[in-house]
Structures are given as C-alpha cells and as structure tokens.
Amino acid sequence: MRVLRGLREAARRRAGRIPLRLPLRLPLRVPRRVPVPVLLLGCLPVLAAAVGLALFLTGTDRPAGPHARATARPESRYAAPRPDIVPRSSWLGDAARRQPPPRYDDQVVAVFVHHTDSPNGYDCADAPRILRDIYTGQTGAREWDDLGYNFVVDRCGTVYEGRAGGVDRAVTGAHTQGFNHRTTGIAALGTYTEGVPVPRALTDAIAALAAWKLGPAGTDPRDRVRLVSSNGLSRYAAGTAAALPAVAGHDDGYQTSCPGAALTAELPEIRERAARLQGRPASHRTATAAAQAPQSPGSYGR
C-alpha cells in the first residue's frame, strides 16, 4: 500500500496537481532615491488631516459672509462714557409717521451743533411735546423723511434721541446741507442768538454727547477733520474737501446763523470739556489760561 501511495503522489507532482507549500517570494526592486514630489504627493492626505486638526484646536475660522468684517476696528483709547439718552419712543409716541429705513455711515468723525430756533421760556417737562411738534413740522410741511437732528438737548441737559436708527450707530442725518455723512447733528432746544444766556447744563450735555460719539473714531474734539461736501448748496462745492472743526457749528458748513451767536461763543469750551471727558491731556491754550486765571473759589465755571 505504501508503494502504491508513493507512486500516486509522484504522478500528481509530475502532473502539477499538488500546489507548492512554500510561499512564493519575488524580489521587489525599489529605487535607492525616491523623488521629492512623489514623497509630497504621498503625504497629502496626512498633511490635510494635520492642518484640519490644527484649525480645529486653534479655533481659526473664515468670514461667514459678505457682511462679516475681515478685521475689527480697534477701540479708541479716548472713548468716553455714553450719557443718558431718552429714547424717541418716549417722546414721539403715536405721532410717528411711516418712513424709509435709516441710512448709515461707517463712523462718526465730526459733530455739528444747532439750535431749533424755537422759544426759550419752556418748562423742561414740556420738552417732549415741543420736540414732537418739531418732528411734525419737519416731516409734514417740509416733507422730510424723519427728524433731521440725531439728538436734541433741552436747557436742563436732558438728551433725547432724534433721528431713528439707533443712538449707538453712525446714522446719516439731515441736519447740515452737504455734510450729513460721517457726522452727528446735535440740536439745542431753543434759540441762542447774541445776548441770550446759555445754560451750563445744556453745554455740558452737548460736550458729553460729542465726546461719546467721536470716541470710536479716535477724533479729538479740539481738532479739525477732513470732510467732503456732497452738495453744492453748502459753503463748499460738491466734491470739495474741507477742513472743519470736529465740533462745528451749523454755520461752519452751511450759510446760516445757526446755532446762534451765543451758542457759537460756547463751542471752544464745549470742545475742551469733550476732550477732558475723553481723558485727553489739556491743550496748551487751556493750560496757559488756567495758569493765568485768578485763584479764587469761584474762578471755575460759568
């Protein structure tokens, strides 16, 4: 039997029916130096995974859409606190008219001071009613889309939100022909022509508003700023770049007697107060005046 089994196995081997039991080992020819591009291509999946993990860990992201800012504007070191402001809903009530959406600028770099050319002998409790009457006159007879002033201040120093759009934003006003862009209009409630007393509470409130609104742009209230006229009806032809005070009177940009000679005379001091509220050092003029002023308990203020 063993002889027959041996003969059968020999015959099968000759016929190739029994597979080889040892693994087949073929020589692999690998070049001694692999080109660099081949190595980089081979590493692409690994590099992509590593970059994705790094972005996830560091929180890096891309702008989410057309309204996203590529870079954030740094905060000004001379930012002033926001004063108390009465919202327009408190004084306007149901007298509000339908109007188009507000328009905005990128920032506020200057302030124009006005007076409303209305009676002075009012009780401050009546200021909301007077302001409502001014709004009705401007949006009615004049057919304006809203109150022209961004803010109104009464003689007691109360600040009212004027034009709609948000007090914290750079709302484009309708207060100074040719220079409504990148500016804020602040109106003193009353008439402040020559010889009319100007209440200290009023000028203090205007200074606080100017300091706060000019802070984000880093504007020194005592400086001059470059503004481009958008309307030939202003003091400057359309397209003209004018160097105007950062805290200007209405008459600096338009041929008018507004804000009145008495309030215009207060503008230098308003600029100085606004600068102090921003935490800026005293100007040379102010320091010299203080040194020359008589030292008495009543030497400061009005």
Side-chain angles (χ1 to χ4, degrees), residues 13-253:
R13 289 190 185 98
R14 286 193 298 270
R17 293 179 182 178
I18 298 178
L20 294 175
R21 295 182 181 180
L22 295 177
L24 181 63
R25 296 182 180 178
L26 298 177
L28 298 178
R29 296 182 179 180
V30 180
R32 295 181 180 179
R33 295 182 179 178
V34 180
V36 174
V38 176
L39 288 175
L40 290 178
L41 289 175
C43 293
L44 278 179
V46 179
L47 290 174
V51 171
L53 178 61
L55 291 176
F56 174 77
L57 293 176
T58 58
T60 304
D61 200 0
R62 298 176 66 86
H67 300 292
R69 294 182 179 179
T71 57
R73 182 183 296 127
E75 293 184 3
S76 170
R77 58 179 292 196
Y78 293 117
R82 168 182 163 170
D84 293 331
I85 301 172
V86 177
R88 63 185 266 130
S89 58
S90 296
W91 61 264
L92 187 55
D94 57 4
R97 298 169 179 260
R98 294 186 61 182
Q99 60 188 62
R103 293 170 297 169
Y104 299 96
D105 292 302
D106 60 331
Q107 59 182 341
V108 172
V109 300
V111 167
F112 280 97
V113 178
H114 307 256
H115 68 175
T116 59
D117 200 20
S118 54
N120 286 9
Y122 59 87
D123 190 297
C124 289
D126 292 331
R129 176 189 57 78
I130 300 171
L131 189 51
R132 193 161 51 248
D133 291 342
I134 295 173
Y135 167 86
T136 302
Q138 291 186 354
T139 59
R142 295 188 179 183
E143 297 182 346
W144 292 3
D145 60 349
D146 192 4
L147 188 71
Y149 314 117
N150 297 96
F151 301 93
V152 179
V153 181
D154 69 16
R155 64 186 186 87
C156 295
T158 303
V159 179
Y160 294 88
E161 176 187 9
R163 196 170 183 85
V167 296
D168 297 302
R169 303 189 63 180
V171 180
T172 306
H175 51 84
T176 305
Q177 189 82 272
F179 295 103
N180 289 311
H181 291 286
R182 310 187 88 196
T183 66
T184 278
I186 303 174
L189 192 61
T191 301
Y192 294 98
T193 51
E194 187 174 0
V196 175
V198 182
R200 176 62 183 265
L202 173 68
T203 55
D204 280 349
I206 293 175
L209 261 178
W212 173 59
K213 291 301 290 185
L214 296 177
T219 302
D220 187 329
R222 302 164 298 189
D223 282 348
R224 300 181 77 84
V225 296
R226 180 179 178 274
L227 297 174
V228 179
S229 174
S230 63
N231 194 309
L233 296 179
S234 72
R235 284 190 179 274
Y236 302 87
T240 302
L244 300 178
V247 178
H250 187 185
D251 56 348
D252 284 310

